[in-house]
Amino acid sequence: MTKNRKHFDANFKQDAVNYYYTSGKSLKKAAADLKIGESTLGKWVSAAKNNNGTVEHRGSGNYSSDAEKEIARLKKELRDSQDALEVLKKAMGILSN
């Protein structure tokens, strides 16, 4: 089962939050009008409340510093190594029987 995730750009997120505030509609109704999930719009509204009405959007793969980029790269490398180790452990278990 795969999740079909949509990616929204910063303008759409900001427009959606502005629509919610100016429409006077409930979160559920505003989300339905925009054809997005209620929880998605709720997260954007919450983020905007914490950031003076602006939705921050860095995009996927964008890091605020080189250190964050390096940390992300190292985490991915560690996950890949752990996955490879698990495969080898399973193979050893199968071969030893």
Side-chain angles (χ1 to χ4, degrees):
M1 185 151 108
T2 61
K3 290 186 179 182
N4 192 8
R5 293 191 171 194
K6 294 181 181 179
H7 295 281
F8 302 100
D9 66 0
N11 289 334
F12 181 83
K13 290 180 181 183
Q14 189 63 54
D15 289 345
V17 170
N18 293 341
Y19 174 75
Y20 167 71
Y21 282 129
T22 59
S23 70
K25 297 181 179 183
S26 69
L27 190 66
K28 185 175 185 174
K29 180 63 178 153
D33 289 350
L34 296 168
K35 295 182 173 64
I36 59 174
E38 182 180 356
S39 63
T40 301
L41 181 57
K43 288 177 190 174
W44 297 344
V45 169
S46 177
K49 284 180 185 177
N50 295 331
N51 196 32
N52 299 321
T54 305
V55 180
E56 282 193 9
H57 178 77
R58 289 186 2 215
S60 64
N62 295 328
Y63 301 97
S64 60
S65 70
D66 288 338
E68 284 185 22
K69 186 175 183 178
E70 180 67 7
I71 289 169
R73 185 189 68 76
L74 290 171
K75 283 183 179 181
K76 182 183 182 318
E77 188 176 316
L78 177 61
R79 275 193 313 271
D80 292 346
S81 297
Q82 289 171 334
D83 290 345
L85 182 61
E86 287 300 314
V87 168
L88 289 173
K89 284 180 181 179
K90 287 178 184 177
M92 291 297 296
I94 291 170
L95 293 174
S96 65
N97 289 332

